[in-house]
Amino acid sequence: MAKTIALFNQQGGVGKTTTAVNLTAALTLTGRRVLLVDVDPQGHSTSGLGVDKDAAAFSSYNVLLEGVPVSRAIVKTKYGSVIPANKGLFGAGIQLTSFEKREHVLRSALLEVQNDFDVIFIDCPALLELLTLNALVAADSLIIPVQCEYLALEGIADLMTSIKMLQRGLNPALEIEGILLTMFDARTNLSTQVASEVKKHFKSKVFKTAIPRNVRLSEAPSHGKPVTAYDPASKGSTAYMELAKEINGRVR
């Protein structure tokens, strides 16, 4: 049965989608069967795996709002499988309000393919609304990317409050898979200080691998490729392959 992991942080620009795409590709390279579910209306995870988000026959909108089976919405790529998202998802959260068990729609839909994959990643919007709640209710655990900048520390308290609320109500079994330090630059005191503070607070929950600032990571999405394909020798690619090893050790 697949382990379902949501990529979540209420702050934008922390490397959530970059991690969703590149971790999907890295784990696929290790032989894992990986599905990336894109429920972010921007659809950046979709295009990051080389899929035309506007040309897909079905998307996560069709799965969530129209009951289209997940298996029909999956697009297979050489980097892993993906359920696409596009701008059609804008406003979907409002539409979901009329649904019975509206926070559990995605969880129920994914039951169909639980035995077809080893890992299911969910890339969700930063805003804590119904699309995001669906992702967090469907997840067994969370990967929380934390940018190595001062403002990132200010958002951690709010983030943990939101997670505790979810654990008390909608998803008591939800765990933190790990805190991922992103945009790390060992040459700066700030990155080192932020990393030290995060490790002090979260201890063993922080992944050993930190994702560095890397030009190739920034360039890869414009080519519709994960960095593991765009520049396999880059520091960004190496880091995500190392992170994949850490995840592999936690997945049956």
Side-chain angles (χ1 to χ4, degrees):
M1 181 173 285
K3 184 169 192 175
T4 303
I5 304 173
L7 284 297
F8 176 61
N9 193 321
Q10 290 172 205
Q11 290 185 325
V14 298
K16 177 177 59 63
T17 295
T18 297
T19 297
V21 169
N22 290 296
L23 197 46
T24 293
L27 276 169
T28 297
L29 284 173
T30 70
R32 290 291 191 177
R33 301 170 300 165
V34 188
L35 172 65
L36 174 54
V37 183
D38 194 350
V39 293
D40 189 333
Q42 297 180 91
H44 290 164
S45 279
T46 302
S47 54
L49 288 177
V51 175
D52 185 340
K53 57 189 176 185
D54 296 317
F58 298 106
S59 69
S60 51
Y61 175 91
N62 304 109
V63 171
L64 289 166
L65 277 302
E66 298 175 352
V68 170
V70 164
S71 57
R72 295 187 64 191
I74 291 173
V75 177
K76 295 181 179 180
T77 82
K78 54 188 173 183
Y79 313 121
S81 296
V82 61
I83 296 177
N86 53 43
K87 61 185 178 182
L89 268 182
F90 282 114
I94 296 173
Q95 292 175 267
L96 281 168
T97 57
S98 62
F99 281 50
E100 185 178 357
K101 294 187 176 180
R102 58 193 180 187
E103 298 93 351
H104 297 260
V105 178
L106 182 59
R107 185 182 185 91
S108 297
L110 288 175
L111 290 174
E112 177 197 359
V113 295
Q114 282 293 313
N115 294 321
D116 298 332
F117 296 96
D118 300 309
V119 184
I120 298 174
F121 289 118
I122 309 175
D123 185 19
C124 47
L127 294 175
L128 193 58
E129 43 89 58
L130 264 176
L131 286 177
T132 307
L133 287 175
N134 264 270
L136 300 181
V137 169
D140 299 310
S141 62
L142 303 175
I143 290 178
I144 303 170
V146 175
Q147 184 180 358
C148 290
E149 298 285 353
Y150 175 73
L151 290 178
L153 293 175
E154 291 189 340
I156 288 181
D158 290 339
L159 177 64
M160 297 311 298
T161 297
S162 297
I163 292 172
K164 287 176 182 176
M165 287 175 62
L166 280 158
Q167 291 169 327
R168 284 198 298 266
L170 293 170
N171 190 354
L174 184 66
E175 298 179 347
I176 295 177
E177 188 68 35
I179 310 296
L180 177 65
L181 296 169
T182 63
M183 304 178 200
F184 179 76
D185 188 344
R187 299 170 300 178
T188 68
N189 288 332
L190 180 59
S191 277
T192 302
Q193 289 169 1
V194 171
S196 178
E197 285 297 316
V198 172
K199 289 175 182 178
K200 180 180 177 181
H201 184 74
F202 290 101
K203 299 181 174 61
S204 62
K205 285 294 184 181
V206 182
F207 286 109
K208 295 177 182 178
T209 305
I211 307 302
R213 284 195 178 276
N214 183 245
V215 173
R216 294 310 214 185
L217 272 176
S218 301
E219 293 175 345
S222 65
H223 295 268
K225 295 179 179 180
V227 73
T228 50
Y230 178 64
D231 188 350
S234 67
K235 290 182 179 179
S237 178
T238 300
Y240 276 109
M241 290 305 298
E242 287 298 314
L243 181 61
K245 289 179 184 178
E246 289 194 60
I247 298 294
N248 255 331
R250 307 177 185 195
V251 177
R252 295 179 180 176

